[in-house]
Amino acid sequence: MLIKTFIIIFLALVSHIVSAAQPFAIAIHGGAGTILKSSMTPELEAQYRKKLDDAKQLGYSILSSGGTSEQAVLSVIKILEDSPLFNAGIGAVYTYEGQHELDASVMDGKSRMAGAITGVKTVRHPIELASAVMHKSVHVMLSGSGAENFATTVGLEQIDNSIFNTKRRFESLQRAKAKMKASANWLKNEDFRYGTVGAVALDKFGNLFAGTSTGGMTAKRWGRIGDSPIIGAGTFADNKSCAVSATGHGEFFIRFNVASDICARVAYQGKSIKQAGDEVIFDVLEPVGGTGGVIIIDTKGNIHMPFNTAGMYRAARSNNGVDKVLIYREE
Ligand code: ASP
């Protein structure tokens, strides 16, 4: 009897030590751009910090109670899609025609399965639809009305496009249109697109997952699609290297295949996520005028969040001591 009790206590202790040693972590972003303390009110800054903190805490508690990295990433992104502060879901930017066309993608680092949707107008949580494409279709990417039809077949809530309206983004559209009249180079202005959301996580089972959701770029037309729903550009995950979610000037992130380039440097050149991320953001993108940033996580729970803009809304927490919410160039 005594020996049996001893064995049970011993096994419980071993399992506790093993699970305590297993790293898990989450990082999230809410967009990068000309985010300056001088142009922010204390109230607005406090709202951003609170929302990022709430989302990060939710993701961390899912991971800490044994949830998967996929559950953590999807839950966090849904919270951010529901917040008018960010350019995803409610609060998404307006197209030239005055609507909202939403893009999102997810990728699973264990299986390298992925799902993406583009130009969707009537789905409340675009990230859920991207996840459904991964789990319930034989495809990776669906677009426009086809993606919306698919959403109804998998029972996702359909809403009117106006649910995503906000006064702040409507005013941005008016300013963007005025700029477009004055200069064809308006696209370079960061003010018209920041606020994309994304999350990357590592769970206790050693699996990575990444997701990104956006309204894209203010006054976009002709069905413009950015990097966020493009696997390898805006989102990537592979348990052999890292998971990445990007935000920034999508055209550059597509051309330079940013998310998978970072993971390729980790996989094939043995670089750390810090080296790989810094190289791509500062040495590859910056010289050609590509602005933005990424959040990166590896299978040891390391996190790196480089950006080459004034700021990037971001937060991270790991079970090895990282816990932060940041906006500007601060550590
Ligand atoms: N990357 C997004 C796009 O180009 C915008 C952003 O991240 O701010 O659609």
Side-chain angles (χ1 to χ4, degrees):
M1 184 64 191
L2 199 66
I3 293 181
K4 206 172 161 196
T5 313
F6 177 76
I7 291 174
I8 289 171
I9 293 175
F10 177 75
L11 287 177
L13 212 65
V14 168
S15 116
H16 179 74
I17 291 168
V18 168
S19 87
Q22 182 63 51
F24 60 94
I26 183 145
I28 67 185
H29 72 76
T34 321
I35 306 165
L36 296 165
K37 201 168 178 73
S38 54
S39 47
M40 181 88 85
T41 64
E43 295 74 29
L44 190 60
E45 179 175 328
Q47 284 177 31
Y48 272 111
R49 287 191 189 273
K50 166 128 189 23
K51 190 51 75 178
L52 289 167
D53 194 49
D54 289 350
K56 173 202 68 171
Q57 292 303 108
L58 172 73
Y60 187 80
S61 68
I62 290 171
L63 296 170
S64 128
S65 57
T68 64
S69 50
E70 173 172 6
Q71 288 167 332
V73 165
L74 294 183
S75 303
V76 161
I77 293 184
K78 276 169 72 175
I79 284 208
L80 300 174
E81 285 177 341
D82 279 341
S83 166
L85 292 171
F86 302 101
N87 173 18
I90 294 167
V93 297
Y94 285 76
T95 62
Y96 189 84
E97 283 78 23
Q99 289 213 307
H100 309 277
E101 293 175 359
L102 309 176
D103 303 331
S105 65
V106 293
M107 188 164 183
D108 179 0
K110 185 178 177 200
S111 59
R112 281 188 65 159
M113 292 292 281
I117 53 106
T118 71
V120 163
K121 296 181 186 168
T122 61
V123 174
R124 169 81 199 232
H125 289 114
I127 201 72
E128 269 187 345
L129 183 53
S131 163
V133 171
M134 180 173 88
H135 286 293
K136 299 180 180 168
S137 83
V138 293
H139 307 298
V140 168
M141 187 180 243
L142 300 179
S143 71
S145 56
E148 287 164 4
N149 289 341
F150 172 72
T152 54
T153 69
V154 294
L156 289 181
E157 189 188 354
Q158 296 280 306
I159 43 81
D160 191 88
N161 193 250
S162 62
I163 197 176
F164 302 121
N165 287 356
T166 54
K167 184 167 172 278
R168 176 182 171 211
R169 300 293 187 191
F170 185 73
E171 287 167 1
S172 285
L173 175 64
Q174 308 316 314
R175 286 200 304 275
K177 282 188 162 178
K179 285 222 172 212
M180 288 166 89
K181 272 195 192 134
S183 149
N185 267 342
W186 70 279
L187 262 178
K188 290 196 175 147
N189 194 324
E190 292 170 3
D191 294 345
F192 294 114
R193 56 182 160 72
Y194 63 77
T196 290
V197 307
V200 290
L202 168 71
D203 61 29
K204 287 183 176 175
F205 316 103
N207 292 321
L208 295 169
F209 199 89
T212 311
S213 179
T214 189
M217 190 174 261
T218 302
K220 64 185 183 181
R221 8 180 200 181
W222 306 308
R224 181 263 184 192
I225 294 164
D227 60 310
S228 307
I230 312 273
I231 297 302
T235 302
F236 193 76
D238 183 357
N239 279 1
K240 291 197 178 72
S241 52
C242 56
V244 177
S245 170
T247 175
H249 197 157
E251 281 69 8
F252 287 86
F253 282 67
I254 293 173
R255 288 165 50 213
F256 290 88
N257 203 28
V258 167
S260 69
D261 187 6
I262 292 171
C263 293
R265 285 165 198 250
V266 173
Y268 306 138
Q269 299 182 321
K271 290 187 170 147
S272 68
I273 56 171
K274 177 164 189 338
Q275 282 175 302
D278 286 353
E279 281 176 10
V280 174
I281 296 299
F282 301 112
D283 303 342
V284 176
L285 278 183
E286 197 168 302
V288 294
T291 54
V294 287
I295 50 173
I296 320 169
I297 193 165
D298 68 14
T299 48
K300 295 191 176 65
N302 296 310
I303 292 166
H304 188 47
M305 306 190 281
F307 54 96
N308 61 23
T309 49
M312 179 167 83
Y313 299 108
R314 62 206 187 278
R317 185 160 178 199
S318 75
N319 70 333
N320 59 23
V322 173
D323 191 359
K324 52 191 173 187
V325 175
L326 303 164
I327 298 180
Y328 315 107
R329 296 202 165 275
E330 49 186 332
E331 274 310 317

